[in-house]
Amino acid sequence: MIPPPSRSRAGGALLAVPAGAALLVWPAFLNGYPIVFSDTGAFLAQTLVPLMIWDKPYVYGPFLHLFHQRLTLWGPLAAQGLILSHLLWVTQRAVRGGISPLGHLALAAALAALTGAPWTAAFLMPDLFAPVTVLCLALLGLARERLGRGEAWYLGALATLAIASHLAHLVVAAGVIAAVFALTRCRARPALRAAAPLGAALALLVASNAIGHGRPAVSPYGATFLLARLQQDGPATRTLRALCPGAGWRLCGFLDRLPMDSDEFLWSPESPLYREPDGAPLPGGVPGGARMAPEARAILAATLRREPLGVAAAMLRNTLRQLLAARVGDTLHDRFLTLIPGREIAAHFPARELAAFHAGAQKRGALEALAAPFLAPHLPVLGLAALLAPLALWRAATRPGDRLRLGLLACVLAGLLANAFATGALSGPHDRYQARIAWLLPLAVGLALWPAALARRGAAGEAA
């Protein structure tokens, strides 16, 4: 059995983990500023205004605030890099049975150069916490004996934060927990270790929504997102055409405009969420998505009764589309950045921070062109990893002592599938959603195919 980490190995980590973190957020240095998105401003507003937002858990915003303290967004960027680098250190040590500073830096450099990992780590959105969810739960469920007590508590707390930061991560966590349960031959204890952070995350979401929205629910307004998806795919629109006007729903007045693109339905100022059927704007106050939620639940219930197979077919199509959509780069543009998060940075941060934001390549519209050469290896490497995955599974399943390699790869595959369902089927396929987690496949395949002799040598050095 591999013992938990010692003080000498902790000393190596103190040097290697920060260096690895710098490698893993290098796109921020290329940009000259952390990479942001329009929703980054909404997360900043959660604590700076403060504001409870109808479509976002009150989790990632406080995480940002903990590290920016109204001074600079480089603080949260550094935190994300350190979190990922340390998690990769622990993962590699547990799976290989040993770790060295040079080995960790080599792994970080390979991921930084060949995969989408650094573009996720350098992006100030909850995206990083999708792969963090997979790795934390896999370690807690399958490698507890290789973790120190403090490490296990830390990974549990980190997993809770990661799962609660985005509603899609609830589904990702469930997928990984199911994989742990199957891998351990339906033993309850490992599955419960992996499930504990999910339970804590659910409690956190219910409590925060009860306080902030007056609704003790995991997702008080999530039905609006699924309605947006199913009206575009057809089942919900057909239900509306069949039951209107007798059902009395507001959306009955918009049948001539449905179906529409799901993003337009959710966010366009001309959407039924923000307009009366005659085109007049709805009064302010309750956000459109929150206002629509009760009706959305009723329409969804009717749609599921009328077209269960149609809904299932649409979800399957979108899940498959999302699995194949993993190209990095659809968040590197400068659209909407002046309004959000530029507005929050201008209002709540020092003038030098606003100047740094404006000087960044992304804000100047230059980041997409700068990034293009560095993105070229990602899809070939991802495709190669997919081709090698069956071989990696077979080798890990047939070699003695490779239970953790097999387990990690199985958990990653479960996480990839669960993420594709949560984002593609329940929201809508976008490259960013799968790119944030797809880089785990080359990581898991690479660790699974690591030569057995080197793994034994690493284990022997660890025991010494």
Side-chain angles (χ1 to χ4, degrees), residues 181-378:
F181 190 59
L183 287 162
T184 56
R185 301 179 182 180
C186 302
R187 290 168 53 211
R189 191 170 182 179
L192 288 174
R193 287 199 299 262
L198 175 58
L202 290 170
L204 175 60
L205 290 171
V206 169
S208 62
N209 286 324
I211 295 170
H213 295 294
R215 294 173 177 265
V218 173
S219 176
Y221 312 113
T224 303
F225 280 88
L226 186 54
L227 174 63
R229 182 72 251 162
L230 289 179
Q231 64 79 31
Q232 177 179 341
D233 291 333
T237 298
R238 290 192 293 272
T239 294
L240 286 163
R241 295 191 190 284
L243 300 183
C244 286
W249 295 321
R250 277 193 69 255
L251 281 188
C252 291
F254 295 88
L255 283 177
D256 59 331
R257 298 181 53 192
L258 299 179
M260 64 173 61
D261 179 82
S262 60
D263 285 338
E264 180 183 349
F265 183 90
L266 287 169
W267 311 119
S268 170
E270 305 305 314
S271 162
L273 299 188
Y274 308 102
R275 296 280 173 178
E276 298 285 5
D278 63 2
L282 286 170
V286 180
R291 183 187 291 113
M292 176 60 68
E295 182 171 304
R297 287 190 286 270
I299 296 171
L300 290 175
T303 301
L304 288 170
R305 286 194 299 270
R306 293 187 72 256
E307 293 195 39
L309 294 181
V311 171
M315 287 184 168
L316 178 60
R317 286 194 303 270
N318 289 323
T319 298
L320 294 176
R321 283 178 58 199
Q322 185 65 83
L323 273 175
L324 299 176
R327 187 185 300 273
V328 173
D330 60 348
T331 56
L332 305 181
H333 54 75
D334 62 332
R335 296 189 291 278
F336 315 120
L337 294 191
T338 297
L339 178 61
I340 42 177
R343 177 180 59 198
E344 284 73 22
I345 295 173
H348 301 284
F349 286 80
R352 65 178 181 275
E353 184 72 4
L354 182 63
F357 166 68
H358 281 288
Q362 184 184 20
K363 182 64 178 67
R364 293 185 285 106
L367 183 58
E368 289 176 290
L370 281 176
F374 301 104
L375 306 182
H378 295 176

Side-chain angles (χ1 to χ4, degrees), residues 365-458:
L367 183 58
E368 289 176 290
L370 281 176
F374 301 104
L375 306 182
H378 295 176
L379 290 184
V381 169
L382 188 56
L384 179 62
L387 290 174
L388 292 175
L391 173 62
L393 283 168
W394 175 79
R395 291 190 66 182
T398 56
R399 290 190 309 197
D402 274 1
R403 178 182 62 88
L404 278 179
R405 297 170 189 245
L406 174 65
L408 177 65
L409 186 50
C411 286
V412 165
L413 292 172
L416 292 176
L417 182 60
N419 183 75
F421 173 74
T423 56
L426 303 181
S427 177
H430 290 279
D431 279 303
R432 164 192 151 214
Y433 293 155
Q434 199 69 4
R436 66 190 182 185
I437 197 172
W439 61 268
L440 286 179
L441 185 60
L443 169 69
V445 168
L447 290 178
L449 293 176
W450 193 273
L454 290 182
R456 285 195 297 269
R457 193 178 308 145

Side-chain angles (χ1 to χ4, degrees), residues 2-3 87-99 107 134-135 138-140 142-147 392 396 399-412 443-452 454-459 462:
I2 307 303
L87 187 54
L88 291 172
W89 173 279
V90 176
T91 300
Q92 190 177 187
R93 191 196 71 223
V95 172
R96 290 178 54 202
I99 182 64
L107 176 68
V134 174
L135 294 178
L139 289 169
L140 289 168
L142 302 175
R144 176 60 186 87
E145 70 279 2
R146 299 191 178 190
L147 304 172
R399 290 190 309 197
D402 274 1
R403 178 182 62 88
L404 278 179
R405 297 170 189 245
L406 174 65
L408 177 65
L409 186 50
C411 286
V412 165
L443 169 69
V445 168
L447 290 178
L449 293 176
W450 193 273
L454 290 182
R456 285 195 297 269
R457 193 178 308 145
E462 186 82 1

